[in-house]
Amino acid sequence: MTTQQLYEQIKRKKSFLCIGLDVDLDKIPQHLLATEDPIFEFNKAIIDATHDVCVSYKPNTAFYEAYGLKGWQSLEKTIRYINEKYPEIFTIADAKRGDIGNTSSMYAKAFFEDLQFDSVTVAPYMGRDSVEPFLQYKDKFTILLALTSNDSSSEFQLLKTDHDELYKEVLRKSKTWKNSNQLMYVVGATRAEYFREIRKIVPDSFLLVPGVGAQGGSLIDVCKYGLNKKVGLLINSSRGILYASDKEDFAEKARFEALKLQREMQIIYEKL
Amino acid sequence: MTTQQLYEQIKRKKSFLCIGLDVDLDKIPQHLLATEDPIFEFNKAIIDATHDVCVSYKPNTAFYEAYGLKGWQSLEKTIRYINEKYPEIFTIADAKRGDIGNTSSMYAKAFFEDLQFDSVTVAPYMGRDSVEPFLQYKDKFTILLALTSNDSSSEFQLLKTDHDELYKEVLRKSKTWKNSNQLMYVVGATRAEYFREIRKIVPDSFLLVPGVGAQGGSLIDVCKYGLNKKVGLLINSSRGILYASDKEDFAEKARFEALKLQREMQIIYEKL
């Protein structure tokens, strides 16, 4: 997928919503537990109910790995289902990987070739040569952690370095990497005031924004400082949508929550 | 496992060698490709041939994920084989994970409960609350990336912050985290001169040291500055051992290479 295709989808759906598929067997409706693959059945129902109001799905790989081989199988089935049935959707493997060059190449192979995701999240600590193997893939995107939404993100990300805070150094240096036009960035919604600074460094990049909803971030504040001419934001919501109901009506309720967010986005979008 | 048990094993074997099980189907002996699970067959042969001269095995998860479901299955079989047949071995999931709290909990569950590894490598960029869920597990260890062995590690890890270089801030702050006595650290052998500085901050911790051999690090230099009273080092070698031969004698040749390293370690150990 290209960013232009992603933008076209956003325009068509008037939505820049990403739904995080972080499936926890303790939280899904009990009746699904009797099926052969409860995680996949849950995802399938959520996807069928929301694909027209969101532009992206983001399975967090941890939630699948936690269930071992069966979990990995559910992840494979989920991504294949999306790619076959809704090929316009932008898929994100939220894996936060990053390792030395030959290892990062293996991760890139896993997520881009084997699982056919459009993008993967990557941690910056090991620098350029840990990220460039992902950037080699044409029309695939690498979403680098910049400023995350958790409480302790400030512990290192906001440390002042010789030049600037660490997260800004990450943004700046990443722009010098090979194929850096295929970078996007994770910026938590819980730090809306930082979007202004971030947009000075990466005005045109897409930002993946977790932390709206359960974690307390505000959609309006994020949009105020984060939107660019081609929208440039993917706002993620996970728990608020997935677990809107733990009854048989879970998919319908999930759609209702997704639709509420889409409507808010539409209002904001139409003012652009 | 406790660090005391690890130390006892090191004393008994006169070895602090960790073997990295980074299995690449393009590099293993061709005759194994005809078996049902070539990755597991390869690992099994390597493990049987080397378990008495090393103290730890470290599968890098990327190399398994790259082969999808089958790869994950090979990883499960490998860790179960080690745990059943050689329970004294200290096992490391080289996964370099790290995410917000509830996600890190899922990773901890995956590696400590489901797969029963003794330890897992974790990236520090997201700070304390991304690591503490791993540290909750008694007698399990979290190996934090401090100073890695790749070329571009200097890009961020050596950035000067208000106080000190970033990797030193990571070491210092991590000591304030809950259950920090269950931390170990990744320090690349390619930066032997830094071990002196690192030992001032974490004198007693175990350091996992990649980069000896193929990546150019020197065992003697690392030991000179890195050893402590209870050894405190796990020296990793992967490619130099695994791919010593691509013929039917691969396990024998792997043992020979592992034994060479163990003998060097024994000489150093006996001088302690």
mmCIF file with all atom_site columns, all heavy atoms in Angstrom, chain A residues 61 96 99 107 125-126 128-129 146 150 155 177, chain B residues 61 96 99 107 125-126 128-129 146 150 155:
data_model
loop_
_atom_site.group_PDB
_atom_site.id
_atom_site.type_symbol
_atom_site.label_atom_id
_atom_site.label_alt_id
_atom_site.label_comp_id
_atom_site.label_asym_id
_atom_site.label_entity_id
_atom_site.label_seq_id
_atom_site.pdbx_PDB_ins_code
_atom_site.Cartn_x
_atom_site.Cartn_y
_atom_site.Cartn_z
_atom_site.occupancy
_atom_site.B_iso_or_equiv
_atom_site.pdbx_formal_charge
_atom_site.auth_seq_id
_atom_site.auth_comp_id
_atom_site.auth_asym_id
_atom_site.auth_atom_id
_atom_site.pdbx_PDB_model_num
ATOM 1   N N   . THR A 1 61  ? 0.984  -8.084  18.747 1.00 0.00 ? 61  THR A N   1
ATOM 2   C CA  . THR A 1 61  ? 1.469  -9.470  18.683 1.00 0.00 ? 61  THR A CA  1
ATOM 3   C C   . THR A 1 61  ? 1.577  -10.135 20.058 1.00 0.00 ? 61  THR A C   1
ATOM 4   O O   . THR A 1 61  ? 1.433  -11.351 20.158 1.00 0.00 ? 61  THR A O   1
ATOM 5   C CB  . THR A 1 61  ? 2.823  -9.552  17.952 1.00 0.00 ? 61  THR A CB  1
ATOM 6   O OG1 . THR A 1 61  ? 3.737  -8.654  18.580 1.00 0.00 ? 61  THR A OG1 1
ATOM 7   C CG2 . THR A 1 61  ? 2.682  -9.169  16.497 1.00 0.00 ? 61  THR A CG2 1
ATOM 8   N N   . LYS A 1 96  ? 6.710  -3.942  17.989 1.00 0.00 ? 96  LYS A N   1
ATOM 9   C CA  . LYS A 1 96  ? 7.793  -3.193  18.659 1.00 0.00 ? 96  LYS A CA  1
ATOM 10  C C   . LYS A 1 96  ? 9.104  -3.963  18.641 1.00 0.00 ? 96  LYS A C   1
ATOM 11  O O   . LYS A 1 96  ? 9.785  -4.076  19.651 1.00 0.00 ? 96  LYS A O   1
ATOM 12  C CB  . LYS A 1 96  ? 7.361  -2.780  20.067 1.00 0.00 ? 96  LYS A CB  1
ATOM 13  C CG  . LYS A 1 96  ? 6.095  -1.917  20.065 1.00 0.00 ? 96  LYS A CG  1
ATOM 14  C CD  . LYS A 1 96  ? 5.775  -1.300  21.396 1.00 0.00 ? 96  LYS A CD  1
ATOM 15  C CE  . LYS A 1 96  ? 4.590  -0.357  21.325 1.00 0.00 ? 96  LYS A CE  1
ATOM 16  N NZ  . LYS A 1 96  ? 3.297  -1.012  21.022 1.00 0.00 ? 96  LYS A NZ  1
ATOM 17  N N   . ASP A 1 99  ? 16.420 -5.156  16.371 1.00 0.00 ? 99  ASP A N   1
ATOM 18  C CA  . ASP A 1 99  ? 17.557 -6.014  16.721 1.00 0.00 ? 99  ASP A CA  1
ATOM 19  C C   . ASP A 1 99  ? 18.677 -5.702  15.733 1.00 0.00 ? 99  ASP A C   1
ATOM 20  O O   . ASP A 1 99  ? 18.516 -4.859  14.870 1.00 0.00 ? 99  ASP A O   1
ATOM 21  C CB  . ASP A 1 99  ? 17.115 -7.492  16.637 1.00 0.00 ? 99  ASP A CB  1
ATOM 22  C CG  . ASP A 1 99  ? 17.914 -8.390  17.562 1.00 0.00 ? 99  ASP A CG  1
ATOM 23  O OD1 . ASP A 1 99  ? 19.150 -8.299  17.550 1.00 0.00 ? 99  ASP A OD1 1
ATOM 24  O OD2 . ASP A 1 99  ? 17.300 -9.178  18.294 1.00 0.00 ? 99  ASP A OD2 1
ATOM 25  N N   . TYR A 1 107 ? 12.881 -10.479 11.144 1.00 0.00 ? 107 TYR A N   1
ATOM 26  C CA  . TYR A 1 107 ? 11.587 -9.936  11.582 1.00 0.00 ? 107 TYR A CA  1
ATOM 27  C C   . TYR A 1 107 ? 10.825 -9.317  10.403 1.00 0.00 ? 107 TYR A C   1
ATOM 28  O O   . TYR A 1 107 ? 9.608  -9.478  10.286 1.00 0.00 ? 107 TYR A O   1
ATOM 29  C CB  . TYR A 1 107 ? 11.781 -8.884  12.678 1.00 0.00 ? 107 TYR A CB  1
ATOM 30  C CG  . TYR A 1 107 ? 11.992 -9.454  14.060 1.00 0.00 ? 107 TYR A CG  1
ATOM 31  C CD1 . TYR A 1 107 ? 13.069 -9.062  14.848 1.00 0.00 ? 107 TYR A CD1 1
ATOM 32  C CD2 . TYR A 1 107 ? 11.097 -10.378 14.601 1.00 0.00 ? 107 TYR A CD2 1
ATOM 33  C CE1 . TYR A 1 107 ? 13.268 -9.583  16.131 1.00 0.00 ? 107 TYR A CE1 1
ATOM 34  C CE2 . TYR A 1 107 ? 11.294 -10.900 15.879 1.00 0.00 ? 107 TYR A CE2 1
ATOM 35  C CZ  . TYR A 1 107 ? 12.374 -10.504 16.635 1.00 0.00 ? 107 TYR A CZ  1
ATOM 36  O OH  . TYR A 1 107 ? 12.565 -11.015 17.896 1.00 0.00 ? 107 TYR A OH  1
ATOM 37  N N   . TYR A 1 125 ? 15.951 2.048   19.937 1.00 0.00 ? 125 TYR A N   1
ATOM 38  C CA  . TYR A 1 125 ? 17.124 2.095   20.814 1.00 0.00 ? 125 TYR A CA  1
ATOM 39  C C   . TYR A 1 125 ? 18.424 1.647   20.137 1.00 0.00 ? 125 TYR A C   1
ATOM 40  O O   . TYR A 1 125 ? 19.498 2.140   20.435 1.00 0.00 ? 125 TYR A O   1
ATOM 41  C CB  . TYR A 1 125 ? 16.851 1.248   22.065 1.00 0.00 ? 125 TYR A CB  1
ATOM 42  C CG  . TYR A 1 125 ? 17.865 1.437   23.181 1.00 0.00 ? 125 TYR A CG  1
ATOM 43  C CD1 . TYR A 1 125 ? 17.942 2.634   23.883 1.00 0.00 ? 125 TYR A CD1 1
ATOM 44  C CD2 . TYR A 1 125 ? 18.749 0.421   23.536 1.00 0.00 ? 125 TYR A CD2 1
ATOM 45  C CE1 . TYR A 1 125 ? 18.864 2.820   24.904 1.00 0.00 ? 125 TYR A CE1 1
ATOM 46  C CE2 . TYR A 1 125 ? 19.668 0.593   24.558 1.00 0.00 ? 125 TYR A CE2 1
ATOM 47  C CZ  . TYR A 1 125 ? 19.724 1.791   25.239 1.00 0.00 ? 125 TYR A CZ  1
ATOM 48  O OH  . TYR A 1 125 ? 20.635 1.963   26.252 1.00 0.00 ? 125 TYR A OH  1
ATOM 49  N N   . MET A 1 126 ? 18.360 0.701   19.226 1.00 0.00 ? 126 MET A N   1
ATOM 50  C CA  . MET A 1 126 ? 19.578 0.173   18.600 1.00 0.00 ? 126 MET A CA  1
ATOM 51  C C   . MET A 1 126 ? 19.989 0.940   17.341 1.00 0.00 ? 126 MET A C   1
ATOM 52  O O   . MET A 1 126 ? 20.992 0.611   16.710 1.00 0.00 ? 126 MET A O   1
ATOM 53  C CB  . MET A 1 126 ? 19.418 -1.322  18.319 1.00 0.00 ? 126 MET A CB  1
ATOM 54  C CG  . MET A 1 126 ? 19.289 -2.131  19.618 1.00 0.00 ? 126 MET A CG  1
ATOM 55  S SD  . MET A 1 126 ? 19.013 -3.902  19.362 1.00 0.00 ? 126 MET A SD  1
ATOM 56  C CE  . MET A 1 126 ? 20.629 -4.406  18.762 1.00 0.00 ? 126 MET A CE  1
ATOM 57  N N   . ARG A 1 128 ? 19.904 3.147   13.557 1.00 0.00 ? 128 ARG A N   1
ATOM 58  C CA  . ARG A 1 128 ? 19.712 2.986   12.114 1.00 0.00 ? 128 ARG A CA  1
ATOM 59  C C   . ARG A 1 128 ? 19.766 1.554   11.592 1.00 0.00 ? 128 ARG A C   1
ATOM 60  O O   . ARG A 1 128 ? 18.825 1.091   10.949 1.00 0.00 ? 128 ARG A O   1
ATOM 61  C CB  . ARG A 1 128 ? 20.787 3.818   11.391 1.00 0.00 ? 128 ARG A CB  1
ATOM 62  C CG  . ARG A 1 128 ? 20.813 3.692   9.885  1.00 0.00 ? 128 ARG A CG  1
ATOM 63  C CD  . ARG A 1 128 ? 21.955 4.502   9.262  1.00 0.00 ? 128 ARG A CD  1
ATOM 64  N NE  . ARG A 1 128 ? 23.207 4.395   9.989  1.00 0.00 ? 128 ARG A NE  1
ATOM 65  C CZ  . ARG A 1 128 ? 24.021 3.322   9.964  1.00 0.00 ? 128 ARG A CZ  1
ATOM 66  N NH1 . ARG A 1 128 ? 23.734 2.281   9.219  1.00 0.00 ? 128 ARG A NH1 1
ATOM 67  N NH2 . ARG A 1 128 ? 25.129 3.304   10.682 1.00 0.00 ? 128 ARG A NH2 1
ATOM 68  N N   . ASP A 1 129 ? 20.858 0.836   11.883 1.00 0.00 ? 129 ASP A N   1
ATOM 69  C CA  . ASP A 1 129 ? 21.002 -0.464  11.210 1.00 0.00 ? 129 ASP A CA  1
ATOM 70  C C   . ASP A 1 129 ? 20.021 -1.516  11.735 1.00 0.00 ? 129 ASP A C   1
ATOM 71  O O   . ASP A 1 129 ? 19.889 -2.584  11.148 1.00 0.00 ? 129 ASP A O   1
ATOM 72  C CB  . ASP A 1 129 ? 22.460 -0.958  11.167 1.00 0.00 ? 129 ASP A CB  1
ATOM 73  C CG  . ASP A 1 129 ? 23.086 -1.168  12.537 1.00 0.00 ? 129 ASP A CG  1
ATOM 74  O OD1 . ASP A 1 129 ? 22.361 -1.567  13.461 1.00 0.00 ? 129 ASP A OD1 1
ATOM 75  O OD2 . ASP A 1 129 ? 24.295 -0.947  12.678 1.00 0.00 ? 129 ASP A OD2 1
ATOM 76  N N   . ALA A 1 146 ? 8.339  6.907   18.921 1.00 0.00 ? 146 ALA A N   1
ATOM 77  C CA  . ALA A 1 146 ? 8.955  8.206   19.194 1.00 0.00 ? 146 ALA A CA  1
ATOM 78  C C   . ALA A 1 146 ? 8.625  8.584   20.641 1.00 0.00 ? 146 ALA A C   1
ATOM 79  O O   . ALA A 1 146 ? 9.476  8.547   21.519 1.00 0.00 ? 146 ALA A O   1
ATOM 80  C CB  . ALA A 1 146 ? 8.460  9.252   18.211 1.00 0.00 ? 146 ALA A CB  1
ATOM 81  N N   . ASN A 1 150 ? 2.625  5.585   27.580 1.00 0.00 ? 150 ASN A N   1
ATOM 82  C CA  . ASN A 1 150 ? 2.661  5.067   28.967 1.00 0.00 ? 150 ASN A CA  1
ATOM 83  C C   . ASN A 1 150 ? 3.272  6.086   29.928 1.00 0.00 ? 150 ASN A C   1
ATOM 84  O O   . ASN A 1 150 ? 4.022  6.975   29.524 1.00 0.00 ? 150 ASN A O   1
ATOM 85  C CB  . ASN A 1 150 ? 3.447  3.753   28.996 1.00 0.00 ? 150 ASN A CB  1
ATOM 86  C CG  . ASN A 1 150 ? 4.876  3.888   28.502 1.00 0.00 ? 150 ASN A CG  1
ATOM 87  O OD1 . ASN A 1 150 ? 5.125  4.571   27.501 1.00 0.00 ? 150 ASN A OD1 1
ATOM 88  N ND2 . ASN A 1 150 ? 5.804  3.275   29.194 1.00 0.00 ? 150 ASN A ND2 1
ATOM 89  N N   . GLU A 1 155 ? 10.722 8.696   31.215 1.00 0.00 ? 155 GLU A N   1
ATOM 90  C CA  . GLU A 1 155 ? 11.965 8.286   31.885 1.00 0.00 ? 155 GLU A CA  1
ATOM 91  C C   . GLU A 1 155 ? 13.182 8.422   30.957 1.00 0.00 ? 155 GLU A C   1
ATOM 92  O O   . GLU A 1 155 ? 14.213 8.957   31.364 1.00 0.00 ? 155 GLU A O   1
ATOM 93  C CB  . GLU A 1 155 ? 11.821 6.840   32.372 1.00 0.00 ? 155 GLU A CB  1
ATOM 94  C CG  . GLU A 1 155 ? 12.811 6.485   33.451 1.00 0.00 ? 155 GLU A CG  1
ATOM 95  C CD  . GLU A 1 155 ? 12.439 5.175   34.152 1.00 0.00 ? 155 GLU A CD  1
ATOM 96  O OE1 . GLU A 1 155 ? 11.653 4.392   33.590 1.00 0.00 ? 155 GLU A OE1 1
ATOM 97  O OE2 . GLU A 1 155 ? 12.946 4.945   35.262 1.00 0.00 ? 155 GLU A OE2 1
ATOM 98  N N   . TRP A 1 177 ? 17.926 8.174   7.626  1.00 0.00 ? 177 TRP A N   1
ATOM 99  C CA  . TRP A 1 177 ? 18.081 6.763   7.283  1.00 0.00 ? 177 TRP A CA  1
ATOM 100 C C   . TRP A 1 177 ? 17.598 6.501   5.858  1.00 0.00 ? 177 TRP A C   1
ATOM 101 O O   . TRP A 1 177 ? 16.757 7.228   5.329  1.00 0.00 ? 177 TRP A O   1
ATOM 102 C CB  . TRP A 1 177 ? 17.287 5.882   8.272  1.00 0.00 ? 177 TRP A CB  1
ATOM 103 C CG  . TRP A 1 177 ? 17.755 6.021   9.695  1.00 0.00 ? 177 TRP A CG  1
ATOM 104 C CD1 . TRP A 1 177 ? 18.939 6.556   10.131 1.00 0.00 ? 177 TRP A CD1 1
ATOM 105 C CD2 . TRP A 1 177 ? 17.031 5.643   10.880 1.00 0.00 ? 177 TRP A CD2 1
ATOM 106 N NE1 . TRP A 1 177 ? 18.990 6.529   11.509 1.00 0.00 ? 177 TRP A NE1 1
ATOM 107 C CE2 . TRP A 1 177 ? 17.841 5.970   11.999 1.00 0.00 ? 177 TRP A CE2 1
ATOM 108 C CE3 . TRP A 1 177 ? 15.788 5.052   11.110 1.00 0.00 ? 177 TRP A CE3 1
ATOM 109 C CZ2 . TRP A 1 177 ? 17.440 5.730   13.313 1.00 0.00 ? 177 TRP A CZ2 1
ATOM 110 C CZ3 . TRP A 1 177 ? 15.383 4.808   12.419 1.00 0.00 ? 177 TRP A CZ3 1
ATOM 111 C CH2 . TRP A 1 177 ? 16.215 5.137   13.501 1.00 0.00 ? 177 TRP A CH2 1
ATOM 112 N N   . THR B 1 61  ? 14.236 -15.098 18.836 1.00 0.00 ? 61  THR B N   1
ATOM 113 C CA  . THR B 1 61  ? 12.871 -15.390 18.374 1.00 0.00 ? 61  THR B CA  1
ATOM 114 C C   . THR B 1 61  ? 12.627 -15.002 16.916 1.00 0.00 ? 61  THR B C   1
ATOM 115 O O   . THR B 1 61  ? 11.806 -15.621 16.248 1.00 0.00 ? 61  THR B O   1
ATOM 116 C CB  . THR B 1 61  ? 11.833 -14.706 19.277 1.00 0.00 ? 61  THR B CB  1
ATOM 117 O OG1 . THR B 1 61  ? 12.134 -13.320 19.362 1.00 0.00 ? 61  THR B OG1 1
ATOM 118 C CG2 . THR B 1 61  ? 11.852 -15.302 20.675 1.00 0.00 ? 61  THR B CG2 1
ATOM 119 N N   . LYS B 1 96  ? 13.825 -9.149  22.681 1.00 0.00 ? 96  LYS B N   1
ATOM 120 C CA  . LYS B 1 96  ? 13.919 -7.674  22.711 1.00 0.00 ? 96  LYS B CA  1
ATOM 121 C C   . LYS B 1 96  ? 12.545 -7.020  22.696 1.00 0.00 ? 96  LYS B C   1
ATOM 122 O O   . LYS B 1 96  ? 12.292 -6.089  21.945 1.00 0.00 ? 96  LYS B O   1
ATOM 123 C CB  . LYS B 1 96  ? 14.822 -7.191  21.573 1.00 0.00 ? 96  LYS B CB  1
ATOM 124 C CG  . LYS B 1 96  ? 16.242 -7.763  21.690 1.00 0.00 ? 96  LYS B CG  1
ATOM 125 C CD  . LYS B 1 96  ? 17.223 -7.148  20.711 1.00 0.00 ? 96  LYS B CD  1
ATOM 126 C CE  . LYS B 1 96  ? 18.644 -7.667  20.901 1.00 0.00 ? 96  LYS B CE  1
ATOM 127 N NZ  . LYS B 1 96  ? 18.838 -9.093  20.588 1.00 0.00 ? 96  LYS B NZ  1
ATOM 128 N N   . ASP B 1 99  ? 6.748  -2.975  25.847 1.00 0.00 ? 99  ASP B N   1
ATOM 129 C CA  . ASP B 1 99  ? 5.506  -2.332  25.431 1.00 0.00 ? 99  ASP B CA  1
ATOM 130 C C   . ASP B 1 99  ? 4.841  -1.767  26.690 1.00 0.00 ? 99  ASP B C   1
ATOM 131 O O   . ASP B 1 99  ? 5.383  -1.914  27.787 1.00 0.00 ? 99  ASP B O   1
ATOM 132 C CB  . ASP B 1 99  ? 4.601  -3.368  24.739 1.00 0.00 ? 99  ASP B CB  1
ATOM 133 C CG  . ASP B 1 99  ? 3.659  -2.742  23.724 1.00 0.00 ? 99  ASP B CG  1
ATOM 134 O OD1 . ASP B 1 99  ? 2.989  -1.759  24.071 1.00 0.00 ? 99  ASP B OD1 1
ATOM 135 O OD2 . ASP B 1 99  ? 3.600  -3.242  22.592 1.00 0.00 ? 99  ASP B OD2 1
ATOM 136 N N   . TYR B 1 107 ? 3.535  -10.448 27.131 1.00 0.00 ? 107 TYR B N   1
ATOM 137 C CA  . TYR B 1 107 ? 4.826  -11.000 26.695 1.00 0.00 ? 107 TYR B CA  1
ATOM 138 C C   . TYR B 1 107 ? 5.462  -11.828 27.810 1.00 0.00 ? 107 TYR B C   1
ATOM 139 O O   . TYR B 1 107 ? 6.036  -12.894 27.566 1.00 0.00 ? 107 TYR B O   1
ATOM 140 C CB  . TYR B 1 107 ? 5.778  -9.884  26.272 1.00 0.00 ? 107 TYR B CB  1
ATOM 141 C CG  . TYR B 1 107 ? 5.545  -9.363  24.872 1.00 0.00 ? 107 TYR B CG  1
ATOM 142 C CD1 . TYR B 1 107 ? 5.408  -8.003  24.619 1.00 0.00 ? 107 TYR B CD1 1
ATOM 143 C CD2 . TYR B 1 107 ? 5.487  -10.229 23.789 1.00 0.00 ? 107 TYR B CD2 1
ATOM 144 C CE1 . TYR B 1 107 ? 5.200  -7.514  23.334 1.00 0.00 ? 107 TYR B CE1 1
ATOM 145 C CE2 . TYR B 1 107 ? 5.276  -9.756  22.498 1.00 0.00 ? 107 TYR B CE2 1
ATOM 146 C CZ  . TYR B 1 107 ? 5.138  -8.396  22.272 1.00 0.00 ? 107 TYR B CZ  1
ATOM 147 O OH  . TYR B 1 107 ? 4.932  -7.933  21.005 1.00 0.00 ? 107 TYR B OH  1
ATOM 148 N N   . TYR B 1 125 ? 13.410 1.555   25.887 1.00 0.00 ? 125 TYR B N   1
ATOM 149 C CA  . TYR B 1 125 ? 12.962 2.880   25.432 1.00 0.00 ? 125 TYR B CA  1
ATOM 150 C C   . TYR B 1 125 ? 11.685 3.374   26.124 1.00 0.00 ? 125 TYR B C   1
ATOM 151 O O   . TYR B 1 125 ? 11.507 4.557   26.344 1.00 0.00 ? 125 TYR B O   1
ATOM 152 C CB  . TYR B 1 125 ? 12.765 2.852   23.911 1.00 0.00 ? 125 TYR B CB  1
ATOM 153 C CG  . TYR B 1 125 ? 12.575 4.215   23.278 1.00 0.00 ? 125 TYR B CG  1
ATOM 154 C CD1 . TYR B 1 125 ? 13.622 5.125   23.216 1.00 0.00 ? 125 TYR B CD1 1
ATOM 155 C CD2 . TYR B 1 125 ? 11.347 4.595   22.735 1.00 0.00 ? 125 TYR B CD2 1
ATOM 156 C CE1 . TYR B 1 125 ? 13.457 6.368   22.627 1.00 0.00 ? 125 TYR B CE1 1
ATOM 157 C CE2 . TYR B 1 125 ? 11.174 5.840   22.140 1.00 0.00 ? 125 TYR B CE2 1
ATOM 158 C CZ  . TYR B 1 125 ? 12.231 6.719   22.093 1.00 0.00 ? 125 TYR B CZ  1
ATOM 159 O OH  . TYR B 1 125 ? 12.059 7.959   21.516 1.00 0.00 ? 125 TYR B OH  1
ATOM 160 N N   . MET B 1 126 ? 10.773 2.473   26.465 1.00 0.00 ? 126 MET B N   1
ATOM 161 C CA  . MET B 1 126 ? 9.498  2.888   27.060 1.00 0.00 ? 126 MET B CA  1
ATOM 162 C C   . MET B 1 126 ? 9.553  2.998   28.588 1.00 0.00 ? 126 MET B C   1
ATOM 163 O O   . MET B 1 126 ? 8.547  3.330   29.230 1.00 0.00 ? 126 MET B O   1
ATOM 164 C CB  . MET B 1 126 ? 8.375  1.965   26.602 1.00 0.00 ? 126 MET B CB  1
ATOM 165 C CG  . MET B 1 126 ? 8.149  2.075   25.093 1.00 0.00 ? 126 MET B CG  1
ATOM 166 S SD  . MET B 1 126 ? 6.882  0.948   24.437 1.00 0.00 ? 126 MET B SD  1
ATOM 167 C CE  . MET B 1 126 ? 5.394  1.672   25.120 1.00 0.00 ? 126 MET B CE  1
ATOM 168 N N   . ARG B 1 128 ? 10.395 2.241   32.810 1.00 0.00 ? 128 ARG B N   1
ATOM 169 C CA  . ARG B 1 128 ? 10.046 1.385   33.941 1.00 0.00 ? 128 ARG B CA  1
ATOM 170 C C   . ARG B 1 128 ? 8.789  0.543   33.759 1.00 0.00 ? 128 ARG B C   1
ATOM 171 O O   . ARG B 1 128 ? 8.834  -0.682  33.882 1.00 0.00 ? 128 ARG B O   1
ATOM 172 C CB  . ARG B 1 128 ? 9.885  2.277   35.188 1.00 0.00 ? 128 ARG B CB  1
ATOM 173 C CG  . ARG B 1 128 ? 9.427  1.570   36.446 1.00 0.00 ? 128 ARG B CG  1
ATOM 174 C CD  . ARG B 1 128 ? 9.232  2.571   37.602 1.00 0.00 ? 128 ARG B CD  1
ATOM 175 N NE  . ARG B 1 128 ? 8.543  3.793   37.208 1.00 0.00 ? 128 ARG B NE  1
ATOM 176 C CZ  . ARG B 1 128 ? 7.231  3.903   36.962 1.00 0.00 ? 128 ARG B CZ  1
ATOM 177 N NH1 . ARG B 1 128 ? 6.454  2.853   37.089 1.00 0.00 ? 128 ARG B NH1 1
ATOM 178 N NH2 . ARG B 1 128 ? 6.711  5.051   36.582 1.00 0.00 ? 128 ARG B NH2 1
ATOM 179 N N   . ASP B 1 129 ? 7.650  1.175   33.459 1.00 0.00 ? 129 ASP B N   1
ATOM 180 C CA  . ASP B 1 129 ? 6.407  0.387   33.487 1.00 0.00 ? 129 ASP B CA  1
ATOM 181 C C   . ASP B 1 129 ? 6.312  -0.611  32.336 1.00 0.00 ? 129 ASP B C   1
ATOM 182 O O   . ASP B 1 129 ? 5.432  -1.470  32.331 1.00 0.00 ? 129 ASP B O   1
ATOM 183 C CB  . ASP B 1 129 ? 5.158  1.266   33.642 1.00 0.00 ? 129 ASP B CB  1
ATOM 184 C CG  . ASP B 1 129 ? 4.946  2.260   32.520 1.00 0.00 ? 129 ASP B CG  1
ATOM 185 O OD1 . ASP B 1 129 ? 5.302  1.943   31.376 1.00 0.00 ? 129 ASP B OD1 1
ATOM 186 O OD2 . ASP B 1 129 ? 4.421  3.352   32.791 1.00 0.00 ? 129 ASP B OD2 1
ATOM 187 N N   . ALA B 1 146 ? 21.433 -2.527  27.133 1.00 0.00 ? 146 ALA B N   1
ATOM 188 C CA  . ALA B 1 146 ? 22.133 -1.344  27.625 1.00 0.00 ? 146 ALA B CA  1
ATOM 189 C C   . ALA B 1 146 ? 22.966 -0.779  26.474 1.00 0.00 ? 146 ALA B C   1
ATOM 190 O O   . ALA B 1 146 ? 22.634 0.253   25.895 1.00 0.00 ? 146 ALA B O   1
ATOM 191 C CB  . ALA B 1 146 ? 22.988 -1.689  28.826 1.00 0.00 ? 146 ALA B CB  1
ATOM 192 N N   . ASN B 1 150 ? 25.866 -3.657  17.743 1.00 0.00 ? 150 ASN B N   1
ATOM 193 C CA  . ASN B 1 150 ? 25.767 -3.248  16.329 1.00 0.00 ? 150 ASN B CA  1
ATOM 194 C C   . ASN B 1 150 ? 26.410 -1.875  16.098 1.00 0.00 ? 150 ASN B C   1
ATOM 195 O O   . ASN B 1 150 ? 26.563 -1.076  17.019 1.00 0.00 ? 150 ASN B O   1
ATOM 196 C CB  . ASN B 1 150 ? 24.298 -3.224  15.886 1.00 0.00 ? 150 ASN B CB  1
ATOM 197 C CG  . ASN B 1 150 ? 23.439 -2.292  16.717 1.00 0.00 ? 150 ASN B CG  1
ATOM 198 O OD1 . ASN B 1 150 ? 23.587 -2.208  17.942 1.00 0.00 ? 150 ASN B OD1 1
ATOM 199 N ND2 . ASN B 1 150 ? 22.550 -1.561  16.079 1.00 0.00 ? 150 ASN B ND2 1
ATOM 200 N N   . GLU B 1 155 ? 24.294 5.631   17.908 1.00 0.00 ? 155 GLU B N   1
ATOM 201 C CA  . GLU B 1 155 ? 23.405 6.695   17.441 1.00 0.00 ? 155 GLU B CA  1
ATOM 202 C C   . GLU B 1 155 ? 22.568 7.286   18.586 1.00 0.00 ? 155 GLU B C   1
ATOM 203 O O   . GLU B 1 155 ? 22.458 8.496   18.724 1.00 0.00 ? 155 GLU B O   1
ATOM 204 C CB  . GLU B 1 155 ? 22.496 6.139   16.340 1.00 0.00 ? 155 GLU B CB  1
ATOM 205 C CG  . GLU B 1 155 ? 21.883 7.218   15.481 1.00 0.00 ? 155 GLU B CG  1
ATOM 206 C CD  . GLU B 1 155 ? 21.252 6.647   14.208 1.00 0.00 ? 155 GLU B CD  1
ATOM 207 O OE1 . GLU B 1 155 ? 20.994 5.428   14.164 1.00 0.00 ? 155 GLU B OE1 1
ATOM 208 O OE2 . GLU B 1 155 ? 21.032 7.419   13.265 1.00 0.00 ? 155 GLU B OE2 1
#
